[in-house]
Amino acid sequence: MADISKLIERLPEIEQSRMVASGFGVWVSWKGDLNTAVENTLREYGCLLLAQDNGQALWFCNTPELFRALARLQIWARVNPMPVLCEAVPLTFLVGYEMEFSVSLSAELDRQDSRVPDDFEVVIHPKLKGKINSIPGLSTEALGKVDGLASVEWLKLQADQGLDYETIRKWYFIIKPLGNMSDRESIMGWREFSGEILALVQRLGLKYVSDVKEGVIFFPLDNFQLLKNFCNEILTLIREIKEDPEREAWPVVMAAVSQENLQFTGDLPKKVGLDWNRLAPDFPHVRFMDGFLLSKWFRINEARYGTDALSLDSWCTIAQKEGGELMEHGTMEVILPNVLLGVDGAECFYCGQKSHGPGDCPSRKLAGVHPNLWQQLSKTDVKAFNKGLIALGEAVSVEEYTSNLLEVMERKDSLESLVARAIYEINSPGQLRMLKLVWRNRNKEWGDGFRQLAPIEGGFVWDALNYLETDDYDNAEELLKSAQLKYPRSYQPHSLWGFCFLETGDMNQALFHWQEAERMSYTPMQQGYFSYLQGRLQEVAGSLKEAINTYKHANTYSPTWIDPVYRQAVCMVKMGFTGQAMDLFSDLIRRDPHIFNRILLDPELDRGRVQLMSSLWEMWAVAREEMQQAKTQVETLIKDISRRFNENHEYFESANEELARLSKLAETNNYVAFRLLIKGVQKFQSDLDGEVKREIQRINGNLEYQSDRIRNVQKEAAWFPFPKLLLEFNKDFNFCVDKINWIKTQNLKDADNFRKALTFLDDVEDRIDTLQGRLVTLRIVRDSTLFVLMLGRNFIWLELVCLGLALVAVPSLIYFTQDVQNNWIIDALREQRWEFAKGLVIILSVLCVAFAAIKSAITFDKRKRELFDQLDEEMRGSAPRRY
């Protein structure tokens, strides 16, 4: 719920007022995001934004222009509904000594709250009824009390739709040099500086009058945006000339006076009632109300001109804010030749120009649509646009427009040909060449409609189309009648009937047949196309509101098709709603940057061209700044790729190719190129991050694998019985361990670390391969040593056992056989006991060796596994260690 007290609390408290003025306030509250048309319209009609909070704002206006603005918004909202409540009330405007401002409201008005309606609504305080009724076309009706608002009998605004309620807030900007214009020095100084001013005025496309005798230059500024832009441009020009030692500025006095009852004649400077000799030089003078409106961008100061009490009609000067607070402003300098603009008459349905009718339009001779023209144009420096347009203007005359233009279009390698073909591509959906494609498409969506085309079917309509293109309307009509008899349910005859009646001047019949074609169409794409043709017909007929609604209807069939939305914006420009149209254009440019170049070249936008070029410049300036950042980022990425990847890496070549393409875009001074560069850098950075992430995952995975391999090497080598002999082996092993541990402890996202990790990983892999090759020899020595040790161990135990048994058995045998006589064996044993013992030891040793070898061979593998498993337990979970 909106609460006006919250807005008033945001305003400063002014104890002592420097200026007090009565006027009108409008409390605006809304749901969601406020349509920019509200803010733009109120400011254009002289309303000053006092305070803004979530979903509400308070504005002040010192003239009844406020009610014209509300009426214009009310009419606008009938076409573009928006949930906004506007409450107009009497308001007192207060200005402090620091140029801060606040308001004073009656007690009944400063504590209001209300809910926002679902549609645009304007409520009027009853005290303002007389002011509204004095404006032609405006009236009020009783509304009564409204919940949440002050307890008064509120009125509802009624606006006559037949009037456009154009604002009368327009200015004449007058520049007058100081000094005596009969003096030679003054003449020479002013001549040089006035040339700079006139160049600026011409660049902005303004009509001017230059009084050579008095040295005065004056010209009209028809809207607030122009006033703001020109004040910025002239102050910037004066500052740049003063800072340049090679250029000289001549002091001038400047003033923006309201047009009101003044005529644009040579004696205008004498009728404005200003004492030029008392004005401060080199600063524009404006009324205080205009100064407050400009205070968002400029610094205002009292001019102290005159003895009357200070009021909103007093004069003040404006200057650029210090410290770069004022954003630089300019305009796109693309000037269309007069041959495309300068003829009065009806618009051509096919191209919108007034130099010819539909039957003579050059587009009828064009074959196929060429959307790739915008791609070609995006590669062209925007400064070259003017060269192409100037050449186009020189090559084409109004008398032989069609033939001259077709000759230009045939020069495919020239700038004038490119811009001419692009201009005729703007409204290609409304031309005959598009009809041929629509007949052959079978898809539902506009974007996919022309990638695959069906073969030509239905001889009658195609022959009729050929006759129409050769201006043979009689034969075309005969064939169309035959086609309707044979195919009564087909949309094709009706679609071509529409173009026949269009070229013969019967607009009503053309509209009827396109409505029938829409009804009989098979796909949403076809329906949207014929709805588009109906909107175009209403547009060229001057029924712009109906055309906007029809274009919206066409857009419902094909939401991804941008042409109906573009035509809506064009209609708004033709109606005078240039600010609102720019909102649509801005959205379209975000969807498709090529719309920027389309606007630059579109002759049908002539009415709002100055304002559009100024608004486009703001987008251009932002894109150019972002482009500079992207260009720097490309240079950084080139270095980063070289630091991060070596030349043999599979990503290196493709990445450098893409960066080379982006670098080339950075050299093209074109808005589309700017946007493609910015988007391309963002995508490349995202792809690079993804590649680095995948590569790091691969490195980590490979690292684990190599760690396992080096552990196996360590396990195998750990049993080598002569470690001091493994100097070269240990050196390679320690290198692998050091590099593996280094990679694991580094931040691999860093380019240098990333590159080193890849290099080290390759070196580690090579050395591990070498180590594993050497392990074959080590393994043989290790296993042999282990077998010998096991053999020795088993032999010793068996030998000890056998010797012990022999030591016991021989004496025992002699002892227990001492009573045995005449036994040669016993006798021999007694006589040669030592020789027998020696032989027994030898025999037992041989047997022990044999048994030890057999046992070792049988238990070798098992024992080896037990020992290695024990080592694995000790090494598991730990990093490989150096030797």
Side-chain angles (χ1 to χ4, degrees):
M1 180 177 291
D3 187 349
I4 196 173
S5 61
K6 294 182 179 179
L7 294 174
I8 297 176
E9 290 171 0
R10 297 174 70 92
L11 295 172
E13 292 184 8
I14 298 178
E15 297 180 359
Q16 187 174 5
S17 299
R18 184 180 189 180
M19 188 188 311
V20 178
S22 297
F24 315 100
V26 57
W27 176 33
V28 182
S29 53
W30 61 87
K31 293 179 183 176
D33 294 329
L34 180 64
N35 192 314
T36 54
V38 176
E39 181 177 349
N40 292 340
T41 302
L42 290 175
R43 183 175 284 116
E44 194 66 39
Y45 280 70
C47 299
L48 174 65
L49 179 62
L50 302 173
Q52 185 169 339
D53 199 2
N54 294 331
Q56 59 176 339
L58 183 63
W59 296 73
F60 168 75
C61 186
N62 66 327
T63 67
E65 281 298 281
L66 167 65
F67 306 118
R68 294 178 184 270
L70 293 176
R72 194 173 180 92
L73 286 172
Q74 189 177 70
I75 295 173
W76 161 258
R78 291 170 185 168
V79 179
N80 297 271
M82 49 187 173
V84 177
L85 173 66
C86 297
E87 175 190 308
V89 296
L91 189 68
T92 301
F93 184 70
L94 309 175
V95 180
Y97 280 85
E98 298 298 326
M99 290 298 176
E100 73 277 19
F101 45 78
S102 185
V103 296
S104 175
L105 278 169
S106 61
E108 63 181 1
L109 297 176
D110 61 1
R111 290 292 182 270
Q112 300 182 91
D113 56 71
S114 69
R115 297 189 180 277
V116 181
D118 294 328
D119 203 352
F120 187 82
E121 184 175 344
V122 179
V123 295
I124 306 294
H125 194 278
K127 290 183 179 180
L128 305 181
K129 181 177 181 180
K131 295 288 184 181
I132 292 177
N133 291 338
S134 64
I135 301 175
L138 295 185
S139 60
T140 58
E141 68 176 46
L143 183 62
K145 299 186 183 304
V146 180
D147 291 340
L149 302 186
S151 182
V152 298
E153 295 298 322
W154 292 96
L155 304 174
K156 188 174 182 180
L157 181 67
Q158 296 292 321
D160 185 354
Q161 293 190 60
L163 301 178
D164 62 356
Y165 302 102
E166 184 179 358
T167 180
I168 60 174
R169 282 181 53 79
K170 301 178 182 179
W171 296 266
Y172 291 123
F173 199 96
I174 305 172
I175 303 175
K176 182 177 176 59
L178 297 182
N180 187 353
M181 285 298 103
S182 61
D183 181 67
R184 183 176 181 276
E185 183 180 358
S186 298
I187 294 174
M188 296 300 296
W190 172 237
R191 179 182 299 171
E192 183 176 352
F193 184 51
S194 65
E196 302 266 12
I197 296 176
L198 291 178
L200 170 62
V201 173
Q202 292 170 354
R203 179 164 60 84
L204 294 176
L206 302 173
K207 299 178 180 179
Y208 67 94
V209 172
S210 177
D211 188 339
V212 178
K213 183 178 179 181
E214 297 291 333
V216 181
I217 299 173
F218 54 97
F219 43 87
L221 300 175
D222 292 333
N223 55 65
F224 178 80
Q225 183 75 13
L226 274 178
L227 175 64
K228 182 194 78 171
N229 293 347
F230 186 81
C231 289
N232 182 41
E233 290 284 351
I234 191 65
L235 288 171
T236 301
L237 176 65
I238 292 173
R239 186 188 72 244
E240 290 177 349
I241 293 178
K242 287 182 177 180
E243 293 174 352
D244 190 347
E246 297 181 1
R247 302 161 71 186
E248 291 185 6
W250 188 260
V252 295
V253 289
M254 301 172 284
V257 299
S258 177
Q259 292 187 12
E260 294 186 5
N261 298 322
L262 297 173
Q263 299 296 320
F264 190 55
T265 57
D267 57 350
L268 173 65
K270 299 178 181 179
K271 295 182 178 181
V272 297
L274 276 172
D275 186 352
W276 296 100
N277 295 323
R278 299 183 63 182
L279 300 185
D282 296 338
F283 292 101
H285 289 68
V286 296
R287 300 290 185 180
F288 255 110
M289 187 61 199
D290 296 330
F292 285 122
L293 290 169
L294 292 167
S295 62
K296 180 180 179 180
W297 303 276
F298 298 86
R299 185 181 69 253
I300 62 174
N301 294 290
E302 183 182 351
R304 299 187 182 277
Y305 170 67
T307 57
D308 296 335
L310 203 62
S311 69
L312 292 179
D313 289 327
S314 300
W315 292 93
C316 65
T317 63
I318 59 174
Q320 289 179 317
K321 292 183 177 179
E322 297 176 357
E325 296 176 62
L326 178 62
M327 182 175 138
E328 182 186 0
H329 198 86
T331 185
M332 298 303 299
E333 300 177 18
V334 177
I335 304 172
L336 297 178
N338 290 332
V339 71
L340 299 178
L341 306 171
V343 179
D344 294 330
E347 293 182 7
C348 171
F349 177 90
Y350 295 129
C351 66
Q353 298 174 37
K354 300 178 180 180
S355 59
H356 57 269
D360 299 321
C361 185
S363 67
R364 299 172 79 249
K365 305 296 182 183
L366 301 178
V369 295
H370 304 283
N372 60 331
L373 279 172
W374 301 112
Q375 297 286 350
Q376 297 178 35
L377 204 64
S378 68
K379 301 175 184 177
T380 305
D381 194 310
V382 72
K383 293 181 179 179
F385 285 12
N386 278 333
K387 296 181 181 177
L389 291 168
I390 291 172
L392 177 62
E394 293 173 349
V396 178
S397 65
V398 177
E399 294 77 14
E400 300 181 4
Y401 181 85
T402 301
S403 60
N404 291 158
L405 193 66
L406 290 173
E407 290 176 4
V408 170
M409 289 184 179
E410 290 176 358
R411 309 172 198 160
K412 296 297 180 68
D413 57 345
S414 64
L415 272 175
E416 58 268 28
S417 174
L418 179 60
V419 296
R421 286 181 286 134
I423 289 171
Y424 273 83
E425 199 68 26
I426 293 173
N427 193 40
S428 59
Q431 298 168 5
L432 279 172
R433 49 184 171 149
M434 181 62 73
L435 181 66
K436 302 175 184 179
L437 300 178
V438 172
W439 282 354
R440 296 177 59 190
N441 94 83
R442 296 293 182 270
N443 295 303
K444 295 181 179 180
E445 290 296 329
W446 187 267
D448 300 328
F450 308 113
R451 294 178 182 173
Q452 293 182 347
L453 298 175
I456 295 175
E457 297 177 354
F460 288 118
V461 290
W462 287 98
D463 292 339
L465 179 57
N466 292 333
Y467 280 123
L468 177 61
E469 290 179 330
T470 58
D471 301 330
D472 191 346
Y473 299 107
D474 293 335
N475 284 326
E477 290 178 5
E478 289 296 328
L479 287 173
L480 284 176
K481 290 176 182 177
S482 300
Q484 278 189 287
L485 291 174
K486 187 172 182 180
Y487 309 107
R489 301 295 300 168
S490 174
Y491 73 90
Q492 290 179 323
H494 285 288
S495 65
L496 193 53
W497 270 121
F499 283 100
C500 286
F501 283 112
L502 167 72
E503 296 194 6
T504 55
D506 194 338
M507 299 295 186
N508 292 330
Q509 282 297 313
L511 183 64
F512 167 77
H513 282 287
W514 282 334
Q515 290 171 343
E516 288 297 298
E518 178 187 355
R519 185 176 61 83
M520 294 180 179
S521 294
Y522 312 132
T523 65
M525 178 191 167
Q526 294 168 353
Q527 292 172 315
Y529 172 71
F530 293 116
S531 181
Y532 175 93
L533 293 180
Q534 296 168 45
R536 177 62 176 168
L537 196 64
Q538 293 166 337
E539 178 186 346
V540 298
S543 302
L544 299 174
K545 292 181 181 178
E546 292 79 2
I548 290 174
N549 290 328
T550 305
Y551 286 133
K552 288 182 177 180
H553 179 63
N555 195 233
T556 60
Y557 290 117
S558 300
T560 59
W561 189 21
I562 65 174
D563 286 273
V565 184
Y566 181 84
R567 298 314 312 174
Q568 293 176 47
V570 174
C571 289
M572 293 176 195
V573 173
K574 292 179 178 180
M575 293 169 63
F577 291 98
T578 307
Q580 294 85 340
M582 194 59 217
D583 297 332
L584 278 181
F585 283 139
S586 299
D587 181 63
L588 287 175
I589 291 170
R590 283 190 290 270
R591 290 170 59 183
D592 181 3
H594 294 288
I595 297 296
F596 190 95
N597 289 335
R598 185 187 295 196
I599 297 171
L600 292 180
L601 297 178
D602 195 345
E604 294 189 72
L605 298 174
D606 183 54
R607 180 175 182 182
R609 188 165 185 80
V610 174
Q611 190 172 348
L612 286 174
M613 294 301 102
S614 177
S615 299
L616 289 178
W617 187 92
E618 295 177 359
M619 301 180 68
W620 172 276
V622 172
R624 183 174 56 187
E625 183 177 352
E626 294 178 357
M627 181 274 296
Q628 293 294 343
Q629 298 173 359
K631 184 178 179 180
T632 303
Q633 191 174 355
V634 168
E635 297 171 355
T636 303
L637 286 171
I638 292 174
K639 297 177 182 178
D640 185 72
I641 291 296
S642 299
R643 288 173 55 198
R644 194 177 293 274
F645 299 98
N646 59 42
E647 295 180 358
N648 298 325
H649 196 280
E650 58 183 7
Y651 185 70
F652 181 83
E653 185 176 354
S654 61
N656 278 282
E657 288 178 357
E658 177 64 15
L659 289 174
R661 186 186 70 84
L662 293 176
S663 297
K664 190 173 181 180
L665 281 175
E667 299 172 359
T668 306
N669 192 33
N670 190 292
Y671 180 85
V672 180
F674 293 168
R675 283 298 169 201
L676 290 176
L677 172 62
I678 295 165
K679 185 177 180 180
V681 169
Q682 293 172 349
K683 183 178 183 301
F684 184 88
Q685 184 66 61
S686 176
D687 292 344
L688 176 60
D689 293 341
E691 179 67 24
V692 170
K693 184 178 180 181
R694 288 189 295 272
E695 197 67 31
I696 290 175
Q697 290 175 347
R698 190 189 68 81
I699 289 173
N700 291 332
N702 197 2
L703 201 63
E704 290 301 320
Y705 173 68
Q706 300 302 337
S707 297
D708 291 340
R709 293 180 68 193
I710 201 66
R711 287 191 188 97
N712 291 332
V713 170
Q714 183 182 29
K715 179 180 69 174
E716 297 284 344
W719 292 95
F720 188 71
F722 314 109
K724 291 186 178 180
L725 300 178
L726 301 178
L727 296 178
E728 191 67 27
F729 185 93
N730 290 340
K731 181 179 179 182
D732 290 342
F733 179 86
N734 291 337
F735 174 86
C736 295
V737 172
D738 289 342
K739 299 313 178 188
I740 288 175
N741 291 335
W742 183 88
I743 294 173
K744 285 186 174 181
T745 58
Q746 297 303 310
N747 176 19
L748 297 183
K749 291 185 178 180
D750 179 76
D752 292 332
N753 292 342
F754 182 86
R755 176 95 178 244
K756 287 181 181 179
L758 289 175
T759 304
F760 288 161
L761 203 58
D762 291 339
D763 293 342
V764 166
E765 186 173 0
D766 292 339
R767 297 213 183 191
I768 291 177
D769 290 340
T770 302
L771 290 174
Q772 287 185 330
R774 292 176 181 174
L775 276 180
V776 176
T777 304
L778 296 182
R779 195 177 291 115
I780 293 173
V781 175
R782 180 203 66 190
D783 290 350
S784 300
T785 304
L786 179 61
F787 183 82
V788 169
L789 291 174
M790 290 179 63
L791 177 63
R793 177 187 174 189
N794 291 332
F795 169 75
I796 290 171
W797 282 108
L798 288 173
E799 185 73 8
L800 289 174
V801 171
C802 289
L803 289 177
L805 291 174
L807 183 63
V808 173
V810 172
S812 297
L813 179 63
I814 294 174
Y815 174 78
F816 287 111
T817 60
Q818 60 184 344
D819 295 331
V820 178
Q821 298 296 327
N822 300 321
N823 188 305
W824 67 270
I825 297 176
I826 298 300
D827 293 341
L829 179 62
R830 290 173 182 167
E831 293 175 357
Q832 301 179 5
R833 64 181 63 177
W834 295 113
E835 287 78 2
F836 179 80
K838 291 178 183 178
L840 181 61
V841 169
I842 292 172
I843 293 171
L844 289 176
S845 296
V846 172
L847 291 174
C848 287
V849 170
F851 281 115
I854 293 171
K855 182 181 178 182
S856 298
I858 294 173
T859 62
F860 178 76
D861 288 335
K862 179 181 178 181
R863 184 58 181 160
K864 186 175 74 169
R865 282 196 303 271
E866 290 176 354
L867 291 173
F868 286 180
D869 289 343
Q870 182 180 355
L871 182 62
D872 285 345
E873 285 293 330
E874 296 176 358
M875 295 180 62
R876 186 172 292 123
S878 63
R881 293 173 294 176
R882 302 175 76 255
Y883 285 110

